[in-house]
Amino acid sequence: MADEVILLNFWPSVFGMRIRIALAEKGIEYEYREEDLWNKSPLLLKMNPVHKKIPVLIHNGKPICESLIAVQYIDEVWKDKSPFFPSDPYERAQARFWADYVDKKMYSIGRTVWTTKGEEQEAAKKELIEMLKVLEGELGDKAYFGGENFGYIDIALIPFYSRFYTLETFGNFSIEAECPKLMGWAKRCHKRESVSNSLPDFHEVYDFVVQLNKRLGIS
Amino acid sequence: MSTSDVKLLGGWPSPFVMRARIALNIKSVDYEFLQEKVGEKSELLLKSNPVYKKIPVLIHADKPICESLIIVQYIDEVWTSGPSILPSDPYDRAIARFWAAYIDDKWFPSVRGIALIAEGDEEKKEAVQEVATGLELLEDAFPKCNKGGNFFGGERIGYLDIALGCFLAWLRVTEKLNNVKLLDEAKTPNLCKWAESFCSDAAVKDVMPETDKLLGFAKVLMARFKAPPAN
């Protein structure tokens, strides 16, 4: 029986990228639909009535919302290929913990860096660098957060690599200088087809953020 | 497995800690409950949860697991001989996780918002409405999840029951302190019936604090919160 898989997304969304990477890692064919967030489709509003947000994964007509929940769903349904989680329960808990850590603050701190100036921006920058250093510590000398295998934490975090250029330009700092090992990891991940096909061009993302700021009246 | 193999760092008033306790009870796991003193953080807590320094922390064979919902999933995956906590079907799991995330990210913060909003009936009304809207969403979700049983998890309490039910005592305390009705039989009859079933469940009843005891604790906490800073 053929599976019908649809992804409702918005191309700059780091959350949508997670699902794209997950689907690609499993070799799942799907229909990609670009949403206009200023004119949301009836399908989006019907599939995510609670939050009305992208990304939404639709599998055989049933919606799965929230990117990390969708990534776990993909792993559990298409379980015979490329598992995202180790089998040991403690390692699995650690994977969930670090993905949740990324989810809690990375986006909002990043957003503060590209939408504010002065003291507020400096504080956000500092917090962001601290977060990246904590993550770098967790990575250690491993190839991926999952060890030898690209996995859940890698999927949760790597989309933010598409925002690094934006953050560095707005914040006037170098993530490579602050976290060289993390940059090494990011570049290693980006060599994977699933990642390079799912992440947009970094300059296009920067241009998008500049345009968005203008639209929202943020100078 | 000896009791000392499983430790839980926490406190009786915390709904997040309660989640872990309920999960351990479902699996009939003996554990040592190490209660933190209010306002102080033990060395063990700081060492076990350096990132957030918060309770609950489950320590199993000296390895710490943090974040209440992650702890619940861990308990479910380790003690497989007990009843399952998460649903077995991947889609049902995704739905349970979705609502649990909603509760943590949106709903419970709006409950807390009622207590923290000191001024104005208008603001309080808005906060109450937010909480009520959330409960209505969960009321609608209930018949889609329960498969005819008394719980979101079906015949037995499961992940979403634990995620939501842990807040029932604080919900009642918030109602009393602010003279509002949040869980209303007229608006959310399914949830009211579910709440009764949840609180009387064997895995829950010994770890759900009595409303009056929690009310007393809340008053002390609020007094401390509002007290002028010591010089």
Side-chain angles (χ1 to χ4, degrees), chain B residues 5 12 31 82-83 95 138 162 185 189 198 209 215 218 221-222 225 229:
Chain B
D5 225 11
W12 66 265
Y31 63 98
I95 296 295
L138 290 157
I162 295 172
E185 239 177 70
F198 182 81
L215 188 62
L221 207 65
M222 277 165 67
F225 189 70

Side-chain angles (χ1 to χ4, degrees), chain A residues 154-203:
Chain A
D154 306 287
I155 295 173
L157 181 58
I158 193 59
F160 289 93
Y161 181 44
S162 68
R163 299 261 167 166
F164 278 10
Y165 174 72
T166 302
L167 289 163
E168 288 170 323
T169 310
F170 273 92
N172 192 30
F173 69 114
S174 160
I175 293 176
E176 173 109 49
E178 299 284 349
C179 303
K181 271 191 174 160
L182 197 68
M183 272 309 251
W185 161 84
K187 289 175 182 167
R188 188 177 306 121
C189 289
H190 204 253
K191 288 204 176 93
R192 298 177 78 85
E193 236 180 89
S194 64
V195 176
S196 56
N197 286 343
S198 305
L199 264 55
D201 177 270
F202 302 164
H203 286 86

Side-chain angles (χ1 to χ4, degrees), chain B residues 69-136:
Chain B
L69 293 178
I70 294 175
I71 292 172
V72 170
Q73 291 181 84
Y74 175 80
I75 290 168
D76 198 34
E77 290 177 6
V78 170
W79 286 279
T80 49
S81 57
S84 286
I85 296 175
L86 266 96
S88 49
D89 173 72
Y91 191 73
D92 292 339
R93 290 159 77 93
I95 296 295
R97 285 178 173 139
F98 173 84
W99 286 116
Y102 172 79
I103 287 160
D104 272 6
D105 297 341
K106 295 250 150 59
W107 184 75
F108 187 60
S110 60
V111 174
R112 265 209 303 259
I114 297 176
L116 298 176
I117 293 169
E119 18 236 292
D121 282 328
E122 203 46 55
E123 272 190 47
K124 199 179 262 194
K125 254 172 93 179
E126 268 179 47
V128 169
Q129 185 51 53
E130 247 188 271
V131 173
T133 302
L135 288 172
E136 279 159 32

Side-chain angles (χ1 to χ4, degrees), chain A residues 3-219:
Chain A
D3 279 306
E4 188 201 52
V5 182
I6 299 170
L7 176 64
L8 305 182
N9 194 32
F10 181 54
W11 69 268
S13 165
V14 293
F15 306 104
M17 284 171 222
R18 289 168 168 172
I19 301 182
R20 295 183 67 182
I21 294 167
L23 290 166
E25 285 284 319
K26 300 282 190 180
I28 299 163
E29 277 181 31
Y30 66 98
E31 186 191 333
Y32 178 93
R33 291 198 200 169
E34 188 71 32
E35 284 283 331
D36 175 2
L37 297 189
W38 286 270
N39 187 18
K40 293 178 182 179
S41 72
L43 182 63
L44 173 57
L45 299 177
K46 183 174 149 210
M47 292 282 117
N48 193 357
V50 175
H51 301 298
K52 304 177 175 55
K53 283 178 165 183
I54 55 92
V56 180
L57 180 74
I58 310 173
H59 184 206
N60 295 332
K62 297 201 287 191
I64 301 100
C65 307
E66 296 298 293
S67 62
L68 291 182
I69 294 176
V71 169
Q72 289 179 82
Y73 175 81
I74 289 165
D75 196 41
E76 290 171 11
V77 171
W78 288 275
K79 56 184 186 290
D80 297 325
K81 183 180 175 181
S82 308
F84 300 154
F85 283 91
S87 49
D88 173 67
Y90 184 73
E91 299 299 318
R92 294 162 71 86
Q94 291 302 97
R96 290 185 175 122
F97 177 86
W98 288 109
D100 178 66
Y101 176 80
V102 172
D103 241 19
K104 274 196 192 356
K105 294 206 279 177
M106 184 81 81
Y107 188 79
S108 57
I109 297 174
R111 192 171 178 276
T112 309
V113 173
W114 66 66
T115 55
T116 66
K117 289 195 165 79
E119 262 180 54
E120 207 182 336
Q121 190 190 45
E122 278 308 304
K125 241 172 82 177
K126 197 163 162 265
E127 224 189 320
L128 181 71
I129 293 168
E130 265 171 45
M131 263 195 93
L132 293 173
K133 288 197 161 144
V134 168
L135 288 162
E136 197 179 47
E138 179 56 28
L139 177 68
D141 290 316
K142 306 196 292 282
Y144 299 110
F145 281 90
E148 287 302 307
N149 300 314
F150 182 79
Y152 188 63
I153 308 172
D154 306 287
I155 295 173
L157 181 58
I158 193 59
F160 289 93
Y161 181 44
S162 68
R163 299 261 167 166
F164 278 10
Y165 174 72
T166 302
L167 289 163
E168 288 170 323
T169 310
F170 273 92
N172 192 30
F173 69 114
S174 160
I175 293 176
E176 173 109 49
E178 299 284 349
C179 303
K181 271 191 174 160
L182 197 68
M183 272 309 251
W185 161 84
K187 289 175 182 167
R188 188 177 306 121
C189 289
H190 204 253
K191 288 204 176 93
R192 298 177 78 85
E193 236 180 89
S194 64
V195 176
S196 56
N197 286 343
S198 305
L199 264 55
D201 177 270
F202 302 164
H203 286 86
E204 277 179 36
V205 172
Y206 173 76
D207 288 339
F208 162 75
V209 173
V210 168
Q211 287 307 311
L212 182 63
N213 279 354
K214 279 203 185 106
R215 191 166 184 166
L216 297 174
I218 300 165
S219 58

